[in-house]
Amino acid sequence: CSSDLFGPNDPSVDASVNRLAAVYDAQKHYDLAEPLLRRSLETRERIFGKDAPEIASSLHNLGILKHKQNKLPEAIELLKRAWQVREKKFGLRDLEMERSITALGSIYLQQKKYKDADVLFQLSLKIRENLVGKDHPSLVPSLGNLANLYAMQDRPVDAQKLLERSLALEEKAFGTETGYLVTTLNNLAL
């Protein structure tokens, strides 16, 4: 066992714990993934401290798992904490933090808390734009989240503008003869 060789606080043991948790998660064995993710969080808190940015990925992964289990209050708490510890260290210039913000926005969208979702999806887009620029294809998911929200709110003009921007970014990056455009074109047609 690697924990016997390296010790329970060794980063390579934590990495193995996280890989196994990811396998269980992919298999939808959430009951097996959760204790491993909690173990990883506890290990990282013990090594780095409760407010260190190194714990944010554990908080995020556990929050995503709770979302999949439809345990939304727990998911929200974990994702907010992941966001806070990374923002404290990196400000609004961190893609890992942006992932937690987007996941939190998705939960609010699921709960039909549209104003909260809008604020978070806008923030997610702003963070990405600040990091990669306004013409980068990695903005497409953020634009799609906002467009989906606006479509659900019966705001077709706003959704259309975002989808047209998304389409332009995809065409510029990948050309017009690619499968990348299928989702955006389909959403724009709706």
Side-chain angles (χ1 to χ4, degrees):
C1 177
S2 62
S3 65
D4 293 337
L5 181 61
F6 297 107
N9 293 333
D10 189 275
S12 55
V13 173
D14 185 58
S16 295
V17 166
N18 276 297
R19 281 191 296 275
L20 183 56
V23 168
Y24 287 146
D25 180 61
Q27 295 171 342
K28 298 185 182 353
H29 294 302
Y30 305 134
D31 57 322
L32 298 174
E34 183 174 352
L36 295 172
L37 291 173
R38 288 200 182 278
R39 175 181 167 185
S40 175
L41 176 59
E42 291 165 5
T43 299
R44 289 177 185 206
E45 286 178 334
R46 195 170 43 254
I47 294 170
F48 301 110
K50 291 190 180 286
D51 292 325
E54 292 84 359
I55 69 166
S57 62
S58 294
L59 291 165
H60 177 86
N61 293 340
L62 196 52
I64 295 299
L65 179 77
K66 289 298 177 183
H67 186 196
K68 291 175 183 177
Q69 293 173 318
N70 206 31
K71 296 179 180 178
L72 301 185
E74 270 185 272
I76 289 169
E77 180 183 326
L78 290 159
L79 291 167
K80 280 183 177 179
R81 189 167 163 222
W83 169 10
Q84 291 165 349
V85 298
R86 291 200 70 88
E87 183 176 22
K88 185 177 178 181
K89 175 75 175 182
F90 302 109
L92 294 177
R93 299 196 54 79
D94 182 64
L95 282 177
E96 290 300 313
M97 180 187 62
E98 183 270 339
R99 287 178 46 235
S100 296
I101 292 168
T102 299
L104 193 53
S106 296
I107 292 172
Y108 289 146
L109 181 64
Q110 179 182 342
Q111 294 176 322
K112 298 187 182 354
K113 294 180 179 178
Y114 297 134
K115 287 182 183 179
D116 294 331
D118 194 1
V119 167
L120 294 178
F121 288 154
Q122 290 280 356
L123 179 57
S124 169
L125 178 60
K126 179 182 172 184
I127 291 168
R128 281 194 176 268
E129 286 176 336
N130 287 339
L131 290 171
V132 301
K134 294 184 183 264
D135 294 325
H136 197 276
S138 71
L139 299 176
V140 169
S142 296
L143 293 167
N145 287 334
L146 273 170
N148 184 38
L149 169 65
Y150 295 160
M152 291 175 74
Q153 292 178 294
D154 198 27
R155 295 170 54 187
V157 173
D158 293 328
Q160 180 180 348
K161 287 177 187 175
L162 292 167
L163 290 171
E164 287 172 348
R165 181 177 171 200
S166 179
L167 179 62
L169 291 174
E170 288 176 302
E171 286 179 337
K172 181 179 174 187
F174 307 113
T176 58
E177 301 295 322
T178 179
Y180 287 107
L181 302 177
V182 172
T183 301
T184 302
L185 287 169
N186 185 52
N187 289 337
L188 197 51
L190 299 176

